[in-house]
Amino acid sequence: MNSENTEPVRFDTKIAVLLREDLEPWQRLNVTAFLVSGLGSELPEVIGAPYEDADGVAYLPMFRQPVLIFEGTKETLKAAHTRTLSRALPRAVFTADLFTTGNDRDNRAAVRAVPTAELDLVGLAVYGPRNGVDKVLKGARMHP
């Protein structure tokens, strides 16, 4: 008898990335990878169990739930950032300045040098209750 649960898994939380619509394809991929990398280190509950193939080769664990990717205008991104802050949701930011830096130290210095309201955001990752994340993303559309 199969004891595994076959019911679909539903999550009451959401992981979402919002990208500025004018990014080049390589930038979209790079920004997304950087943004989601911070979630697992600060929010261990978003990480599932390690993987293993049929031959017993082990693989690193990944997020336990899908990451939804959205896009929007510069204004949509700024509004989403403001809503994320007002809801105190866990978040990561990627600014246009980070395309000109080449390491973690310089990345952090570039963000630290700019006041919150003046950040030139090109990407935002947010995690939290589904309805809260949905409200943060108001005006954004799913990435094609």
Side-chain angles (χ1 to χ4, degrees):
M1 183 161 88
N2 187 349
S3 62
E4 287 188 37
N5 185 352
T6 58
E7 291 295 315
V9 176
R10 303 279 184 228
F11 298 98
D12 58 354
T13 57
K14 185 180 272 190
I15 299 171
V17 172
L18 175 57
L19 301 170
R20 202 167 73 192
E21 65 187 2
D22 62 348
L23 296 179
E24 295 293 326
W26 73 267
Q27 292 173 317
R28 291 170 185 260
L29 296 169
N30 186 267
V31 169
T32 300
F34 268 93
L35 287 171
V36 299
S37 70
L39 294 177
S41 62
E42 290 296 313
L43 305 162
E45 69 271 18
V46 302
I47 302 297
Y51 287 73
E52 183 177 296
D53 67 24
D55 294 323
V57 176
Y59 301 94
L60 294 172
M62 295 185 282
F63 291 129
R64 66 185 179 106
Q65 67 190 89
V67 177
L68 301 173
I69 312 295
F70 295 82
E71 69 175 6
T73 64
K74 186 174 186 169
E75 294 75 22
T76 301
L77 200 56
K78 186 173 182 68
H81 181 245
T82 299
R83 288 191 290 267
T84 300
L85 295 175
S86 71
R87 294 179 177 278
L89 293 174
R91 70 257 169 209
V93 297
F94 198 104
T95 66
D97 296 332
L98 302 187
F99 290 128
T100 64
T101 60
N103 62 74
D104 185 51
R105 182 194 65 230
D106 292 342
N107 286 350
R108 286 181 286 111
V111 173
R112 187 175 34 252
V114 181
T116 305
E118 296 174 24
L119 291 171
D120 185 9
L121 297 169
V122 298
L124 171 72
V126 61
Y127 171 76
R130 290 184 70 79
N131 64 343
V133 173
D134 288 342
K135 289 177 182 173
V136 162
L137 297 173
K138 183 180 175 187
R141 59 192 175 279
M142 287 295 293
H143 191 282

